[in-house]
Amino acid sequence: MKYVYDLHKTMLARNLILIYEGEFTQEITKSVLAMAERNMDSMGEESSIKRKVFNVMVECLQNIVKHSDEYNPLTEKRHTAIFMIGKHDEEYIITSGNPIKNENVDGLRERLERINGLDKEGLKTLYKEIIKNTALSDKGGAGLGFVDMARKSGQKLEYDFEKMNDRYSFFSLKTTISRSTTGE
């Protein structure tokens, strides 16, 4: 039972507001969003900051639902992943992680590096280019999610790929959103 207290201490130390680990569906996504929104409301967060955080959360959760590859050695359930949101003095940190096939790592890394290499205007141009020139993929997206997350946060997307086995890697993504309203 000590692990419960250890987890509690970790959540407090890292200022984590919400953690969800498990299968992600549209219904679970709605519940996670509602809980986070209620939490920000109870803290009296400014509406402009709430909108940014909410938008990034939606993109992050949709990414998990649409694009995580099937992998769970214990249950083989789809969309088993983790989502966390934390609040520090001047920022919200939204973190997610999900398994992807190793064959998809290089392409995803290239997309993220391209996005991180762009400034505000470059992101805006890429966003418009994707909308204009890209059809929806078979999983329902046009590749806009990461671009939109970078635009809304105004910061680089942090990511990592941890090899799980010969077929899968665990993709972790961290997006930071400043609570400062200066420069908007």
Short mmCIF file of all heavy atoms in Angstrom, two decimals, residues 31-78:
data_model
loop_
_atom_site.label_atom_id
_atom_site.label_comp_id
_atom_site.label_asym_id
_atom_site.label_seq_id
_atom_site.Cartn_x
_atom_site.Cartn_y
_atom_site.Cartn_z
N SER A 31 -14.45 12.96 -20.58
CA SER A 31 -14.41 13.00 -19.11
C SER A 31 -13.12 13.65 -18.60
O SER A 31 -13.16 14.46 -17.67
CB SER A 31 -14.52 11.59 -18.54
OG SER A 31 -15.77 11.03 -18.87
N VAL A 32 -12.00 13.30 -19.21
CA VAL A 32 -10.72 13.88 -18.81
C VAL A 32 -10.74 15.39 -19.04
O VAL A 32 -10.31 16.17 -18.18
CB VAL A 32 -9.55 13.21 -19.57
CG1 VAL A 32 -8.25 13.98 -19.39
CG2 VAL A 32 -9.37 11.76 -19.11
N LEU A 33 -11.25 15.81 -20.19
CA LEU A 33 -11.33 17.24 -20.49
C LEU A 33 -12.24 17.96 -19.49
O LEU A 33 -11.90 19.06 -19.02
CB LEU A 33 -11.84 17.46 -21.92
CG LEU A 33 -10.88 17.06 -23.03
CD1 LEU A 33 -11.59 17.07 -24.38
CD2 LEU A 33 -9.66 17.98 -23.05
N ALA A 34 -13.37 17.35 -19.16
CA ALA A 34 -14.30 17.97 -18.21
C ALA A 34 -13.67 18.11 -16.83
O ALA A 34 -13.83 19.15 -16.17
CB ALA A 34 -15.59 17.15 -18.14
N MET A 35 -12.95 17.08 -16.38
CA MET A 35 -12.30 17.15 -15.07
C MET A 35 -11.24 18.26 -15.05
O MET A 35 -11.15 19.02 -14.08
CB MET A 35 -11.66 15.81 -14.71
CG MET A 35 -12.66 14.77 -14.27
SD MET A 35 -11.86 13.28 -13.66
CE MET A 35 -11.34 12.50 -15.18
N ALA A 36 -10.44 18.34 -16.09
CA ALA A 36 -9.39 19.36 -16.14
C ALA A 36 -10.02 20.76 -16.19
O ALA A 36 -9.53 21.69 -15.54
CB ALA A 36 -8.49 19.13 -17.34
N GLU A 37 -11.10 20.90 -16.95
CA GLU A 37 -11.76 22.20 -17.05
C GLU A 37 -12.33 22.63 -15.69
O GLU A 37 -12.16 23.78 -15.27
CB GLU A 37 -12.88 22.14 -18.09
CG GLU A 37 -13.53 23.47 -18.35
CD GLU A 37 -14.55 23.42 -19.47
OE1 GLU A 37 -15.17 22.36 -19.69
OE2 GLU A 37 -14.73 24.46 -20.13
N ARG A 38 -12.96 21.69 -14.98
CA ARG A 38 -13.49 22.01 -13.65
C ARG A 38 -12.35 22.42 -12.70
O ARG A 38 -12.50 23.34 -11.91
CB ARG A 38 -14.25 20.81 -13.07
CG ARG A 38 -15.68 20.71 -13.57
CD ARG A 38 -16.50 19.73 -12.74
NE ARG A 38 -16.00 18.37 -12.78
CZ ARG A 38 -16.30 17.48 -13.71
NH1 ARG A 38 -17.10 17.80 -14.71
NH2 ARG A 38 -15.80 16.26 -13.65
N ASN A 39 -11.23 21.73 -12.82
CA ASN A 39 -10.09 22.04 -11.96
C ASN A 39 -9.59 23.46 -12.24
O ASN A 39 -9.32 24.23 -11.31
CB ASN A 39 -8.99 21.01 -12.19
CG ASN A 39 -7.97 21.00 -11.08
OD1 ASN A 39 -7.40 22.02 -10.77
ND2 ASN A 39 -7.76 19.83 -10.49
N MET A 40 -9.46 23.82 -13.51
CA MET A 40 -8.98 25.18 -13.86
C MET A 40 -10.01 26.22 -13.43
O MET A 40 -9.64 27.31 -12.97
CB MET A 40 -8.68 25.28 -15.34
CG MET A 40 -7.37 24.62 -15.71
SD MET A 40 -6.85 24.96 -17.41
CE MET A 40 -8.02 23.99 -18.33
N ASP A 41 -11.31 25.90 -13.56
CA ASP A 41 -12.35 26.83 -13.11
C ASP A 41 -12.25 27.07 -11.61
O ASP A 41 -12.34 28.21 -11.15
CB ASP A 41 -13.75 26.28 -13.44
CG ASP A 41 -14.11 26.42 -14.92
OD1 ASP A 41 -13.45 27.22 -15.63
OD2 ASP A 41 -15.04 25.72 -15.35
N SER A 42 -12.04 25.99 -10.85
CA SER A 42 -11.97 26.12 -9.39
C SER A 42 -10.75 26.92 -8.95
O SER A 42 -10.74 27.51 -7.88
CB SER A 42 -11.99 24.74 -8.72
OG SER A 42 -10.78 24.07 -8.94
N MET A 43 -9.71 26.93 -9.80
CA MET A 43 -8.51 27.71 -9.48
C MET A 43 -8.63 29.14 -9.98
O MET A 43 -7.72 29.95 -9.78
CB MET A 43 -7.26 27.06 -10.11
CG MET A 43 -6.91 25.72 -9.49
SD MET A 43 -5.37 25.03 -10.11
CE MET A 43 -5.76 24.69 -11.82
N GLY A 44 -9.74 29.46 -10.66
CA GLY A 44 -9.96 30.82 -11.15
C GLY A 44 -9.05 31.21 -12.30
O GLY A 44 -8.68 32.38 -12.43
N GLU A 45 -8.71 30.25 -13.14
CA GLU A 45 -7.80 30.53 -14.26
C GLU A 45 -8.46 31.46 -15.27
O GLU A 45 -9.66 31.40 -15.50
CB GLU A 45 -7.39 29.22 -14.94
CG GLU A 45 -6.29 29.39 -15.96
CD GLU A 45 -5.02 29.97 -15.37
OE1 GLU A 45 -4.31 29.25 -14.67
OE2 GLU A 45 -4.75 31.17 -15.63
N GLU A 46 -7.64 32.34 -15.87
CA GLU A 46 -8.13 33.27 -16.90
C GLU A 46 -8.65 32.50 -18.11
O GLU A 46 -8.07 31.48 -18.50
CB GLU A 46 -7.00 34.20 -17.35
CG GLU A 46 -6.58 35.19 -16.30
CD GLU A 46 -5.51 36.13 -16.84
OE1 GLU A 46 -5.59 36.52 -18.03
OE2 GLU A 46 -4.61 36.47 -16.07
N SER A 47 -9.69 33.01 -18.73
CA SER A 47 -10.33 32.30 -19.85
C SER A 47 -9.40 32.15 -21.05
O SER A 47 -9.42 31.12 -21.72
CB SER A 47 -11.64 32.98 -20.27
OG SER A 47 -11.39 34.30 -20.69
N SER A 48 -8.53 33.12 -21.30
CA SER A 48 -7.62 33.01 -22.45
C SER A 48 -6.61 31.88 -22.24
O SER A 48 -6.28 31.14 -23.18
CB SER A 48 -6.89 34.32 -22.71
OG SER A 48 -6.07 34.67 -21.60
N ILE A 49 -6.17 31.69 -21.01
CA ILE A 49 -5.23 30.61 -20.70
C ILE A 49 -5.97 29.28 -20.75
O ILE A 49 -5.46 28.29 -21.29
CB ILE A 49 -4.58 30.82 -19.30
CG1 ILE A 49 -3.87 32.17 -19.22
CG2 ILE A 49 -3.65 29.67 -18.96
CD1 ILE A 49 -2.77 32.39 -20.23
N LYS A 50 -7.17 29.24 -20.20
CA LYS A 50 -7.98 28.01 -20.24
C LYS A 50 -8.19 27.55 -21.68
O LYS A 50 -8.10 26.36 -21.96
CB LYS A 50 -9.33 28.21 -19.56
CG LYS A 50 -9.28 28.12 -18.06
CD LYS A 50 -10.65 27.95 -17.43
CE LYS A 50 -11.64 29.00 -17.85
NZ LYS A 50 -12.86 28.99 -17.06
N ARG A 51 -8.48 28.48 -22.57
CA ARG A 51 -8.70 28.12 -23.98
C ARG A 51 -7.46 27.48 -24.59
O ARG A 51 -7.55 26.46 -25.29
CB ARG A 51 -9.10 29.35 -24.80
CG ARG A 51 -10.58 29.63 -24.81
CD ARG A 51 -10.97 30.64 -25.89
NE ARG A 51 -10.22 31.87 -25.84
CZ ARG A 51 -10.51 32.92 -25.07
NH1 ARG A 51 -11.53 32.88 -24.25
NH2 ARG A 51 -9.77 34.01 -25.11
N LYS A 52 -6.29 28.07 -24.34
CA LYS A 52 -5.05 27.50 -24.87
C LYS A 52 -4.80 26.10 -24.31
O LYS A 52 -4.48 25.18 -25.05
CB LYS A 52 -3.85 28.40 -24.53
CG LYS A 52 -3.74 29.64 -25.37
CD LYS A 52 -2.50 30.40 -24.97
CE LYS A 52 -2.34 31.66 -25.76
NZ LYS A 52 -1.11 32.38 -25.42
N VAL A 53 -4.92 25.97 -23.00
CA VAL A 53 -4.69 24.68 -22.35
C VAL A 53 -5.69 23.65 -22.88
O VAL A 53 -5.31 22.53 -23.23
CB VAL A 53 -4.79 24.81 -20.81
CG1 VAL A 53 -4.79 23.44 -20.14
CG2 VAL A 53 -3.65 25.67 -20.28
N PHE A 54 -6.94 24.04 -22.95
CA PHE A 54 -7.99 23.12 -23.42
C PHE A 54 -7.71 22.68 -24.85
O PHE A 54 -7.82 21.50 -25.19
CB PHE A 54 -9.36 23.81 -23.31
CG PHE A 54 -10.51 22.87 -23.39
CD1 PHE A 54 -10.88 22.10 -22.30
CD2 PHE A 54 -11.24 22.74 -24.56
CE1 PHE A 54 -11.95 21.23 -22.37
CE2 PHE A 54 -12.30 21.87 -24.64
CZ PHE A 54 -12.67 21.10 -23.54
N ASN A 55 -7.33 23.62 -25.71
CA ASN A 55 -7.04 23.30 -27.11
C ASN A 55 -5.90 22.30 -27.21
O ASN A 55 -5.98 21.32 -27.95
CB ASN A 55 -6.72 24.57 -27.89
CG ASN A 55 -6.47 24.30 -29.35
OD1 ASN A 55 -5.39 23.88 -29.73
ND2 ASN A 55 -7.48 24.54 -30.17
N VAL A 56 -4.83 22.53 -26.47
CA VAL A 56 -3.68 21.61 -26.51
C VAL A 56 -4.08 20.25 -25.95
O VAL A 56 -3.70 19.21 -26.49
CB VAL A 56 -2.47 22.21 -25.76
CG1 VAL A 56 -1.36 21.18 -25.59
CG2 VAL A 56 -1.93 23.43 -26.52
N MET A 57 -4.88 20.24 -24.88
CA MET A 57 -5.34 18.97 -24.32
C MET A 57 -6.16 18.19 -25.34
O MET A 57 -5.97 16.98 -25.49
CB MET A 57 -6.19 19.22 -23.07
CG MET A 57 -5.40 19.63 -21.87
SD MET A 57 -6.44 20.07 -20.45
CE MET A 57 -7.49 18.65 -20.31
N VAL A 58 -7.06 18.87 -26.04
CA VAL A 58 -7.88 18.20 -27.05
C VAL A 58 -6.99 17.57 -28.12
O VAL A 58 -7.16 16.40 -28.48
CB VAL A 58 -8.89 19.18 -27.69
CG1 VAL A 58 -9.52 18.60 -28.93
CG2 VAL A 58 -9.97 19.55 -26.68
N GLU A 59 -6.04 18.33 -28.64
CA GLU A 59 -5.15 17.82 -29.68
C GLU A 59 -4.35 16.62 -29.17
O GLU A 59 -4.18 15.62 -29.86
CB GLU A 59 -4.19 18.91 -30.17
CG GLU A 59 -4.85 20.02 -30.93
CD GLU A 59 -5.48 19.59 -32.24
OE1 GLU A 59 -5.21 18.48 -32.74
OE2 GLU A 59 -6.28 20.38 -32.79
N CYS A 60 -3.85 16.74 -27.95
CA CYS A 60 -3.05 15.68 -27.35
C CYS A 60 -3.88 14.40 -27.18
O CYS A 60 -3.44 13.30 -27.54
CB CYS A 60 -2.56 16.18 -26.00
SG CYS A 60 -1.17 15.32 -25.34
N LEU A 61 -5.08 14.54 -26.64
CA LEU A 61 -5.94 13.38 -26.42
C LEU A 61 -6.43 12.78 -27.74
O LEU A 61 -6.51 11.56 -27.87
CB LEU A 61 -7.12 13.77 -25.52
CG LEU A 61 -6.72 14.07 -24.07
CD1 LEU A 61 -7.84 14.80 -23.34
CD2 LEU A 61 -6.34 12.80 -23.33
N GLN A 62 -6.73 13.63 -28.72
CA GLN A 62 -7.13 13.09 -30.03
C GLN A 62 -5.98 12.34 -30.67
O GLN A 62 -6.20 11.32 -31.32
CB GLN A 62 -7.61 14.22 -30.95
CG GLN A 62 -8.98 14.71 -30.60
CD GLN A 62 -9.46 15.82 -31.52
OE1 GLN A 62 -8.69 16.46 -32.23
NE2 GLN A 62 -10.75 16.07 -31.49
N ASN A 63 -4.77 12.83 -30.48
CA ASN A 63 -3.60 12.14 -31.00
C ASN A 63 -3.51 10.73 -30.42
O ASN A 63 -3.25 9.76 -31.13
CB ASN A 63 -2.34 12.94 -30.68
CG ASN A 63 -1.09 12.27 -31.18
OD1 ASN A 63 -0.94 11.99 -32.36
ND2 ASN A 63 -0.18 11.99 -30.26
N ILE A 64 -3.75 10.62 -29.13
CA ILE A 64 -3.72 9.30 -28.48
C ILE A 64 -4.81 8.40 -29.05
O ILE A 64 -4.56 7.25 -29.43
CB ILE A 64 -3.88 9.43 -26.95
CG1 ILE A 64 -2.64 10.08 -26.34
CG2 ILE A 64 -4.12 8.05 -26.33
CD1 ILE A 64 -2.80 10.45 -24.87
N VAL A 65 -6.03 8.90 -29.13
CA VAL A 65 -7.15 8.08 -29.59
C VAL A 65 -6.96 7.64 -31.04
O VAL A 65 -7.16 6.48 -31.38
CB VAL A 65 -8.50 8.83 -29.44
CG1 VAL A 65 -9.63 8.08 -30.11
CG2 VAL A 65 -8.81 9.02 -27.96
N LYS A 66 -6.52 8.56 -31.88
CA LYS A 66 -6.43 8.26 -33.32
C LYS A 66 -5.14 7.55 -33.73
O LYS A 66 -5.14 6.77 -34.67
CB LYS A 66 -6.53 9.55 -34.14
CG LYS A 66 -7.88 10.19 -34.10
CD LYS A 66 -7.86 11.47 -34.92
CE LYS A 66 -9.17 12.21 -34.81
NZ LYS A 66 -9.12 13.49 -35.51
N HIS A 67 -4.04 7.85 -33.05
CA HIS A 67 -2.75 7.44 -33.61
C HIS A 67 -1.90 6.51 -32.76
O HIS A 67 -0.83 6.11 -33.19
CB HIS A 67 -1.92 8.69 -33.95
CG HIS A 67 -2.61 9.57 -34.93
ND1 HIS A 67 -2.81 9.21 -36.24
CD2 HIS A 67 -3.17 10.79 -34.78
CE1 HIS A 67 -3.46 10.19 -36.85
NE2 HIS A 67 -3.69 11.14 -35.99
N SER A 68 -2.35 6.17 -31.56
CA SER A 68 -1.52 5.21 -30.81
C SER A 68 -1.72 3.84 -31.41
O SER A 68 -2.81 3.48 -31.84
CB SER A 68 -1.87 5.23 -29.32
OG SER A 68 -3.18 4.79 -29.09
N ASP A 69 -0.65 3.09 -31.47
CA ASP A 69 -0.71 1.75 -32.04
C ASP A 69 -1.08 0.75 -30.95
O ASP A 69 -0.77 0.95 -29.78
CB ASP A 69 0.63 1.39 -32.68
CG ASP A 69 0.87 2.19 -33.96
OD1 ASP A 69 -0.08 2.32 -34.75
OD2 ASP A 69 1.99 2.69 -34.14
N GLU A 70 -1.73 -0.29 -31.36
CA GLU A 70 -2.19 -1.30 -30.41
C GLU A 70 -1.00 -1.98 -29.76
O GLU A 70 -0.18 -2.57 -30.41
CB GLU A 70 -3.02 -2.36 -31.14
CG GLU A 70 -4.29 -1.82 -31.74
CD GLU A 70 -5.07 -2.90 -32.47
OE1 GLU A 70 -5.07 -4.05 -32.02
OE2 GLU A 70 -5.68 -2.57 -33.49
N TYR A 71 -0.92 -1.80 -28.45
CA TYR A 71 0.10 -2.54 -27.71
C TYR A 71 -0.22 -2.47 -26.23
O TYR A 71 -0.35 -1.40 -25.65
CB TYR A 71 1.50 -1.97 -27.90
CG TYR A 71 2.52 -2.72 -27.07
CD1 TYR A 71 3.03 -3.93 -27.51
CD2 TYR A 71 2.92 -2.25 -25.83
CE1 TYR A 71 3.92 -4.65 -26.74
CE2 TYR A 71 3.82 -2.95 -25.06
CZ TYR A 71 4.32 -4.16 -25.52
OH TYR A 71 5.19 -4.87 -24.75
N ASN A 72 -0.35 -3.60 -25.62
CA ASN A 72 -0.38 -3.73 -24.18
C ASN A 72 -0.11 -5.19 -23.90
O ASN A 72 -0.95 -6.03 -24.17
CB ASN A 72 -1.72 -3.31 -23.59
CG ASN A 72 -1.72 -3.40 -22.06
OD1 ASN A 72 -0.95 -4.16 -21.49
ND2 ASN A 72 -2.55 -2.62 -21.43
N PRO A 73 1.07 -5.50 -23.41
CA PRO A 73 1.42 -6.91 -23.23
C PRO A 73 0.51 -7.63 -22.24
O PRO A 73 0.41 -8.84 -22.27
CB PRO A 73 2.86 -6.86 -22.71
CG PRO A 73 3.00 -5.49 -22.14
CD PRO A 73 2.10 -4.60 -22.95
N LEU A 74 -0.19 -6.89 -21.40
CA LEU A 74 -1.05 -7.53 -20.40
C LEU A 74 -2.47 -7.78 -20.91
O LEU A 74 -3.06 -8.80 -20.63
CB LEU A 74 -1.12 -6.67 -19.13
CG LEU A 74 0.23 -6.42 -18.44
CD1 LEU A 74 0.05 -5.49 -17.26
CD2 LEU A 74 0.86 -7.73 -18.01
N THR A 75 -3.03 -6.82 -21.66
CA THR A 75 -4.44 -6.95 -22.04
C THR A 75 -4.69 -6.84 -23.54
O THR A 75 -5.78 -7.14 -23.99
CB THR A 75 -5.28 -5.86 -21.35
OG1 THR A 75 -4.83 -4.58 -21.82
CG2 THR A 75 -5.17 -5.94 -19.84
N GLU A 76 -3.71 -6.34 -24.29
CA GLU A 76 -3.87 -6.09 -25.72
C GLU A 76 -5.03 -5.15 -26.03
O GLU A 76 -5.67 -5.25 -27.06
CB GLU A 76 -4.03 -7.41 -26.50
CG GLU A 76 -2.77 -8.24 -26.56
CD GLU A 76 -1.59 -7.53 -27.23
OE1 GLU A 76 -1.80 -6.80 -28.22
OE2 GLU A 76 -0.47 -7.68 -26.74
N LYS A 77 -5.33 -4.21 -25.12
CA LYS A 77 -6.38 -3.22 -25.38
C LYS A 77 -5.81 -2.11 -26.27
O LYS A 77 -4.65 -1.78 -26.18
CB LYS A 77 -6.88 -2.59 -24.08
CG LYS A 77 -7.75 -3.51 -23.27
CD LYS A 77 -8.26 -2.78 -22.05
CE LYS A 77 -9.13 -3.70 -21.21
NZ LYS A 77 -9.56 -3.05 -19.98
N ARG A 78 -6.68 -1.55 -27.09
CA ARG A 78 -6.29 -0.42 -27.94
C ARG A 78 -6.16 0.84 -27.12
O ARG A 78 -6.84 1.01 -26.12
CB ARG A 78 -7.35 -0.17 -29.00
CG ARG A 78 -7.04 -0.75 -30.33
CD ARG A 78 -8.02 -0.22 -31.36
NE ARG A 78 -7.59 1.10 -31.82
CZ ARG A 78 -6.88 1.30 -32.91
NH1 ARG A 78 -6.52 0.30 -33.65
NH2 ARG A 78 -6.55 2.51 -33.27
#
